[in-house]
Amino acid sequence: MSYLSKLLKPLLTATYITALSFSASSVAIAHGHQEHNVNQETDIMVMNGYARATFSLAKTGAVYFTLHNQSDKDKILTSVTVSKELASEAQIHTTVMEGDVMKMRELADGVTIGAGEMVSFESGGYHIMLLGLNKGLVEGSELKLTLIFEGNDELDITLPVKKDDAKNHHSHH
C-alpha cells in the first residue's frame, strides 16, 4: 500500500461513517419515523423498518429493519414481543442453507449488535417472524413491537406495513 493510500484510508473511512450516519438519520426522519432515532436507554437506532403485507388469512408474517448500536458496548437483542391481538408470538429468526434448501431457524440466544455496528434484519437473513397472526397484515396499517435487549432494556417501535416486491423471499412456516 502506498504512503498516500495509508494517509487517505482513515480520512475516507471517517467520511464514509459520517455520511452513513447522516443518511440513516435522514431516512428515519424522511419516512416519518422520528421516534426511531436513538433510544437513550438502549442506545439503539431502528432504521428502514417495516412489516411485509400478507393476504387476509395468513398465519405468519415477517418484519424487517436495521438496528444501529450507537453505544460503546455490544448489545444483544434477546427477544421480541407483540400484542396478542396481532399475533400469538414474535420470534427472532435467521435463514440457513441446508443442502439445496433454505430453512428458517429461531435464534433463541438472540442477535448481537456490536458496539458502533449495524445489523440488518432482511429477507434471506435475520428477520422477525410473527406467528399465529389473528388477521392479515394490511398495507398502509402499522404494527407495534417491543424489542428486548439483554438486561431487559426495552425499545417500543411502530412500523408501517407495506407491500414488498423483493424477489428473494423465502417461504414462511
Side-chain angles (χ1 to χ4, degrees):
M1 186 181 286
S2 75
Y3 179 74
L4 184 58
S5 296
K6 287 181 182 177
L7 288 175
L8 287 177
K9 187 174 181 180
L11 179 61
L12 291 174
T13 302
T15 302
Y16 173 75
I17 290 170
T18 302
L20 188 59
S21 176
F22 285 129
S23 173
S25 297
S26 298
V27 168
I29 292 168
H31 287 275
H33 296 291
Q34 294 161 329
E35 72 274 13
H36 292 165
N37 286 325
V38 180
N39 178 289
Q40 297 306 314
E41 292 178 23
T42 62
D43 290 321
I44 296 287
M45 179 189 290
V46 179
M47 301 176 297
N48 305 323
Y50 71 99
R52 186 172 60 219
T54 65
F55 62 95
S56 61
L57 298 176
K59 291 299 176 192
T60 61
V63 179
Y64 309 110
F65 47 75
T66 298
L67 296 179
H68 184 187
N69 178 358
Q70 299 197 332
S71 76
D72 59 357
K73 296 179 181 154
D74 291 355
K75 301 284 183 167
I76 301 173
L77 177 64
T78 57
S79 62
V80 179
T81 61
V82 64
S83 160
K84 295 295 181 198
E85 293 172 8
L86 178 66
S88 60
E89 68 179 307
Q91 296 179 350
I92 304 168
H93 277 215
T94 191
T95 306
V96 295
M97 284 297 289
E98 288 185 4
D100 293 337
V101 180
M102 283 185 103
K103 294 188 177 186
M104 287 188 297
R105 297 283 180 248
E106 180 180 7
L107 296 174
D109 293 333
V111 173
T112 300
I113 304 98
E117 294 182 359
M118 289 190 269
V119 174
S120 292
F121 286 67
E122 56 194 11
S123 183
Y126 296 132
H127 57 281
I128 304 301
M129 283 298 302
L130 302 176
L131 305 174
L133 286 176
N134 292 315
K135 59 182 177 181
L137 300 176
V138 178
E139 183 178 8
S141 65
E142 293 182 329
L143 64 85
K144 294 180 181 187
L145 297 172
T146 300
L147 307 180
I148 303 169
F149 295 87
E150 188 175 61
N152 290 324
D153 289 333
E154 295 185 0
L155 177 56
D156 295 316
I157 61 174
T158 301
L159 300 175
V161 176
K162 18 188 245 188
K163 186 176 178 182
D164 186 355
D165 294 325
K167 296 178 182 175
N168 63 340
H169 291 310
H170 50 277
S171 60
H172 294 283
H173 309 253

